[in-house]
Amino acid sequence: MKLILFVSVMCALQACQTQEQKDFVLVENQEGPTLGYSPESGISILTVDGFKFKDLNKDSKLDNYEDWRLPVDERAKDLALKMSIDQIAGLMLYSVHQAIPAAESGFSSGTYNGEPFSLSGAKVWDLTDEQKKFLKEDNLRHVLMTTVESAEVAAKWNNNVQAFLEGIDWGIPANNSSDPRHAASSDAEFNVGAGGFVSLWPRELGLAATFDPQVLKQFGEIASAEYRALGISTALSPQIDLASEPRWFRLGMTFGEGTGLVTDLGRAYIDGFQTSTGKDEIAGGWGYKSVNAMVKHWPSGGPEEGGRDAHWAYGKFAVYPGNNFEEHLKPFTEGAFKLNGETGMASAVMPYYTISYRQAKDGTNYGNGFSKYIVTDLLRERYGYDGVVCTDWLITGNEGKTPDFFAGKPWGTEEMSIAERHYMVLKAGCDQFGGNNEKGPILEAYEMGIKEFGEPYMRKRFEQSAVRLLKNIFRLGLFENPYLDPKESAAIVGQPEFMLAGYEAQVKSTVLLKNRGQVLPVKDRKTVFIPKTYQPVRKNFFGKWSEAVLDYPVNLDIIRKYYNVTSKPEEADFALVFVTNPQSENGGYSVADRLAGGNGYVPVSLQYNPYTAVDAREQSIAAGDPVTDPAITNRSYRGKTGRTNNAGDLDVLLRAREMMREKPVIAVIDVFNPMVFHEFEKDMDAIVLRFGGSVQSVMDIISGKYEPSGLLPIQMPANMQAVEMQREDVPLDMECHQDTEGNIYDFAFGLNWSGVIKDARTRKYGNKH
């Protein structure tokens, strides 16, 4: 059941009254939905059979799509028939990332009346020049929102977007979306009764460490309430890729590698996001508190060869040495497409960038979004999925000049034109183009289709996608009222009950791996030594370089609430060493290696020390790119050495042991990927893992306020040889690390104060696929 929010505009209004709220007007029906509209949009309110309706197309009569009494399917089909091809092409667009306000240069940049924000005099919530263009000229209606400074700003920006669109053509509202935005920061503090911008939770792998679908459902319920208050109606999540390849850098965004666990958690997450109940329900579980879930990535991005990711040309191939393609489908077919709630299935699906190498029965090797076999034959026909399929971002763009350049991801169609790629996507069976603001290439693709199939066929094909896309807007009541009260939004987002639930999930996600001699918990107010760590210069996701930093890895003020802190190990009773899992210095490709005459491919390492890949396969399973490396037919990295950016973390761990002598040393590791423990585990008295949880949540366990209950949602390898020997597409097939206490760091392992956890969760999921 959806959580009941404290404030409701709908409850505040009296039946059949009209009240002005800021820049929009609310009109309530006695036995129907509250209507919201902007006086500036030029639309009027129709009264038919005693009910109120919005005359969105300003023709002074009630059209079927404007009649909220009719089923969603009927409304969507009516509007799709009315729309021009130009308008449907715009509906198929999904914007590039939009920051509020726009950045002044680089990624997410934009202008206001031709000026950067700081010089424009614009309000934070005003629309950029670029937004006005793609909304009006390109007919775009799906916007990906990123950073925004507050709930009130988000609500005001949403209202500006909706008012701008309401007066254009058919009055189709914006369907705003977001990538996951609820991860806690290290220094985030929870105080009972205090609110925040959004509730703070562990990252997805941490949610998985709870092994509790109810936690995921609760997260979905809370996050969807906050999303709707921010004007967000589609979640670009969950990421239910089966994390069978431990080196994949997006593994931390998944629910781990247990097929049954991932399936159950994904189902619960989507049920929480999509389901409205009671007065909030419109029909079929959908309603005013629902958020569309765009589940990703079909048919799984997990089995990347060598762990290299498909955002770059060097990681374009997903491989299946274990012939295990079908298992990767189960989180979708048994979870996302078989919900417990009335909405039935995830309303949208995103294929991954990868080429699912040699898996298409038609013999092709296209990126998943271009593949008719992957999208139509498999997803739509075999599994009966008729929801929206949206490509991942920028798959129709041109790739960079080198395999490591972040640009378009047209894998398998590199030598086609941009318009030809759009046509391939349409023929594959997709409905929408992620990261594309311009309708032009879609209209070119439409003309290509007319030449091949005739105009009646292409018109019908466009209407088919339009109906799917429109249903996801109608279901949520956005045509009736897309507006928000900024003060109500501020009251909903980050309210104390939501913050408490997120904090409790952080605590539940924390995993105790080792506790030699029962050194934990440390309940007394003792003195602790915390060493500084060094963060070297590194390149981020978009190719930007950071600055080197030598500092304490945590906010010492948080630690002082539990213990006395000293910078002298000889004065300390115990040490807390905060580090992160080994971070490979590249994604498996080195420009330096290529310039030196190599093929450019190097190992992705899960250990701190340099790793030489003597056990890697001699011939890669897949290779080739006609643009960036046409001469490379083998992507093997056998015999090469991989390094990590944070190798200094190992020195910090070992030096702490040396400085503390016989006194306890406790490692606290923030984990995004599996890691090799044999380099330091024997020197640690206790090891605690956090998956994006705050330092406070870890300290509440270390100090004994809470008992640990988290379980490993992934395996921890015995060594890098074990990593090389496992197969990219097969989960739970690694030799795992065994510690000095005899415990094996396998899937579903974890300790509490009494020892190894054995409960209903471990019995249900255990070491099973």
Side-chain angles (χ1 to χ4, degrees):
M1 181 175 180
K2 282 283 183 186
L3 293 170
I4 299 173
L5 303 178
F6 292 127
V7 185
S8 174
V9 170
M10 293 173 61
C11 292
L13 298 176
Q14 299 299 315
C16 297
Q17 286 187 343
T18 302
Q19 299 189 18
E20 189 169 344
Q21 296 276 333
K22 303 297 182 182
D23 298 321
F24 60 94
V25 174
L26 295 176
V27 180
E28 186 155 308
N29 282 288
Q30 188 170 3
E31 295 182 7
T34 296
L35 310 180
Y37 72 97
S38 169
E40 296 180 0
S41 68
I43 73 162
S44 59
I45 298 298
L46 302 173
T47 301
V48 179
D49 300 329
F51 296 107
K52 307 293 185 181
F53 304 88
K54 292 166 71 172
D55 184 17
L56 290 166
N57 63 355
K58 307 173 189 176
D59 65 353
S60 300
K61 65 183 182 69
L62 182 63
D63 295 277
N64 283 353
Y65 87 93
E66 296 166 335
D67 190 344
W68 46 259
R69 298 169 298 181
L70 297 177
V72 163
D73 283 2
E74 188 172 340
R75 298 179 71 186
K77 289 175 182 176
D78 178 64
L79 181 50
L81 286 169
K82 289 176 164 63
M83 294 174 71
S84 68
I85 292 301
D86 193 79
Q87 291 163 347
I88 294 176
L91 195 64
M92 291 177 166
L93 299 174
Y94 221 127
S95 82
V96 296
H97 302 65
Q98 301 296 306
I100 306 167
E104 301 200 352
S105 62
F107 189 67
S108 292
S109 63
T111 59
Y112 300 80
N113 294 320
E115 298 286 349
F117 178 73
S118 63
L119 301 178
S120 67
K123 297 181 177 66
V124 176
W125 49 83
D126 284 348
L127 304 187
T128 66
D129 301 329
E130 293 78 9
Q131 289 164 358
K132 292 176 182 177
K133 178 184 181 298
F134 66 59
L135 291 171
K136 186 171 184 178
E137 297 180 21
D138 289 287
N139 300 314
L140 185 148
R141 295 296 180 270
H142 294 79
V143 182
L144 175 54
M145 188 174 83
T146 57
T147 56
V148 61
E149 67 181 38
S150 71
E152 290 192 68
V153 168
K156 290 178 180 179
W157 179 83
N158 169 79
N159 292 349
N160 280 342
V161 172
Q162 304 297 2
F164 184 83
L165 293 175
E166 195 169 54
I168 299 174
D169 298 325
W170 308 104
I172 300 172
N175 182 352
N176 300 322
S177 69
S178 175
D179 283 310
R181 62 194 309 122
H182 282 79
S185 66
S186 177
D187 292 341
E189 289 192 75
F190 170 73
N191 297 297
V192 176
F197 177 42
V198 292
S199 57
L200 302 176
W201 301 70
R203 68 175 68 100
E204 292 82 358
L205 197 60
L207 291 171
T210 69
F211 275 62
D212 187 351
Q214 273 305 118
V215 171
L216 276 290
K217 188 169 186 290
Q218 182 187 38
F219 168 73
E221 292 170 344
I222 290 173
S224 64
E226 293 182 316
Y227 272 24
R228 289 302 296 265
L230 295 170
I232 297 167
S233 44
T234 292
L236 302 186
S237 60
Q239 186 175 324
I240 58 172
D241 307 82
L242 194 57
S244 54
E245 167 48 57
R247 294 163 289 189
W248 186 32
F249 95 98
R250 298 194 71 177
L251 184 146
M253 306 172 193
T254 74
F255 295 142
E257 61 178 316
T259 306
L261 180 66
V262 175
T263 300
D264 288 351
L265 297 183
R267 183 191 302 113
Y269 182 111
I270 298 166
D271 270 331
F273 264 94
Q274 293 191 167
T275 306
S276 289
T277 59
K279 65 179 178 60
D280 295 319
E281 183 179 6
I282 297 172
W286 292 100
Y288 305 111
K289 296 299 184 287
S290 298
V291 170
N292 295 293
M294 185 180 290
V295 65
K296 56 190 185 183
H297 302 92
W298 177 263
S300 180
E304 305 263 7
E305 183 163 22
R308 300 183 296 269
D309 183 68
H311 277 85
W312 298 270
Y314 60 68
K316 67 200 292 185
F317 296 107
V319 296
Y320 296 85
N323 195 30
N324 202 36
F325 179 81
E326 294 292 327
E327 185 169 359
H328 285 261
L329 305 182
K330 289 180 180 179
F332 297 88
T333 61
E334 301 300 316
F337 303 161
K338 291 184 179 178
L339 302 180
N340 293 328
E342 287 188 58
T343 64
M345 62 175 59
S347 65
V349 170
M350 182 188 294
Y352 202 42
Y353 297 119
T354 45
I355 295 171
S356 296
Y357 191 63
R358 293 182 176 174
Q359 298 306 303
K361 303 300 184 187
D362 58 12
T364 60
N365 272 309
Y366 294 122
N368 294 314
F370 298 108
S371 172
K372 179 181 178 295
Y373 174 78
I374 294 295
V375 177
T376 293
D377 299 352
L378 192 63
L379 176 60
R380 295 210 185 276
E381 294 180 357
R382 179 175 167 185
Y383 290 108
Y385 185 77
D386 194 38
V388 169
V389 178
C390 177
T391 73
D392 213 330
W393 263 233
L394 301 177
I395 75 166
T396 55
N398 293 324
E399 64 179 308
K401 295 180 180 179
T402 59
D404 65 322
F405 194 86
F406 188 88
K409 301 102 174 54
W411 314 141
T413 66
E414 293 90 344
E415 296 179 297
M416 294 183 183
S417 70
I418 289 176
E420 287 170 335
R421 293 175 195 145
H422 281 75
Y423 187 42
M424 284 288 292
V425 169
L426 290 172
K427 289 203 293 184
C430 296
D431 304 295
Q432 201 163 25
F433 298 85
N436 185 352
N437 290 2
E438 299 178 354
K439 67 187 177 185
I442 302 178
L443 296 176
E444 288 185 65
Y446 182 78
E447 294 299 323
M448 293 176 187
I450 290 176
K451 291 179 181 178
E452 183 172 359
F453 297 108
E455 187 158 16
Y457 173 89
M458 287 304 294
R459 171 76 204 189
K460 184 178 180 181
R461 171 67 185 84
F462 267 47
E463 288 177 4
Q464 182 184 47
S465 287
V467 169
R468 291 171 180 149
L469 292 161
L470 289 167
K471 283 165 65 175
N472 285 354
I473 304 176
F474 278 115
R475 285 168 171 160
L476 276 54
L478 293 173
F479 273 86
E480 279 59 67
N481 181 21
Y483 296 99
L484 299 168
D485 181 332
K487 287 186 169 49
E488 179 183 333
S489 292
I492 291 169
V493 174
Q495 62 181 257
E497 287 79 0
F498 294 177
M499 300 299 289
L500 174 60
Y503 185 73
E504 289 176 341
Q506 293 178 47
V507 172
K508 290 178 182 177
S509 73
T510 305
V511 177
L512 178 61
L513 274 190
K514 184 177 181 180
N515 195 16
R516 183 165 58 197
Q518 299 294 300
V519 297
L520 294 179
V522 182
K523 294 184 176 181
D524 299 330
R525 188 173 181 85
K526 295 187 176 182
T527 299
V528 63
F529 167 64
I530 297 176
K532 292 182 178 180
T533 58
Y534 175 68
Q535 301 297 324
V537 172
R538 65 180 68 181
K539 188 164 62 172
N540 73 4
F541 189 86
F542 299 106
K544 301 288 186 180
W545 290 94
S546 67
E547 295 184 3
V549 177
L550 174 64
D551 202 353
Y552 287 106
V554 295
N555 182 347
L556 295 186
D557 288 338
I558 297 176
I559 309 300
R560 291 188 181 102
K561 293 180 180 180
Y562 300 85
Y563 307 112
N564 302 317
V565 178
T566 181
S567 60
K568 300 177 180 179
E570 64 272 16
E571 296 178 354
D573 298 303
F574 69 105
L576 285 175
V577 186
F578 290 87
V579 295
T580 59
N581 65 276
Q583 309 287 310
S584 185
E585 69 177 1
N586 51 56
Y589 186 85
S590 166
V591 175
D593 179 83
R594 188 74 180 94
L595 292 175
N599 64 2
Y601 292 87
V602 293
V604 175
S605 180
L606 300 182
Q607 69 179 36
Y608 290 116
N609 278 319
Y611 158 65
T612 301
V614 296
D615 297 303
R617 56 176 66 103
E618 292 186 13
Q619 173 65 49
S620 65
I621 294 174
D625 188 290
V627 176
T628 61
D629 55 2
I632 303 299
T633 58
N634 184 6
R635 294 185 168 192
S636 175
Y637 49 83
R638 187 181 179 92
K640 296 181 183 179
T641 298
R643 292 175 172 80
T644 55
N645 282 317
N646 61 331
D649 283 359
L650 178 61
D651 290 333
V652 174
L653 288 162
L654 298 180
R655 292 289 174 84
R657 172 75 283 158
E658 184 179 352
M659 289 187 288
M660 294 299 291
R661 299 176 180 260
E662 300 302 318
K663 291 182 288 188
V665 177
I666 301 161
V668 180
I669 309 173
D670 192 8
V671 173
F672 204 90
N673 282 83
M675 60 183 290
V676 172
F677 280 87
H678 75 76
E679 298 173 298
F680 65 90
E681 174 270 316
K682 63 181 174 59
D683 296 298
M684 299 295 108
D685 295 287
I687 300 174
V688 180
L689 304 187
R690 61 188 180 106
F691 300 89
S694 64
V695 170
Q696 181 188 359
S697 65
V698 173
M699 295 306 297
D700 274 349
I701 284 179
I702 288 173
S703 64
K705 182 176 180 179
Y706 297 105
E707 184 170 17
S709 62
L711 302 170
L712 284 177
I714 49 178
Q715 293 182 316
M716 294 297 179
N719 45 50
M720 282 303 297
Q721 181 185 34
V723 174
E724 296 291 359
M725 293 298 101
Q726 61 86 36
R727 293 160 292 180
E728 285 94 336
D729 61 324
V730 180
L732 307 179
D733 68 336
M734 275 197 303
E735 177 190 357
C736 298
H737 178 78
Q738 183 172 10
D739 70 12
T740 58
E741 310 307 291
N743 292 318
I744 297 174
Y745 295 176
D746 203 349
F747 178 79
F749 170 76
L751 300 173
N752 57 24
W753 301 144
S754 300
V756 177
I757 296 172
K758 294 181 180 179
D759 58 18
R761 299 172 301 160
T762 60
R763 289 190 294 272
K764 181 174 183 178
Y765 297 109
N767 192 4
K768 299 177 181 178
H769 287 200

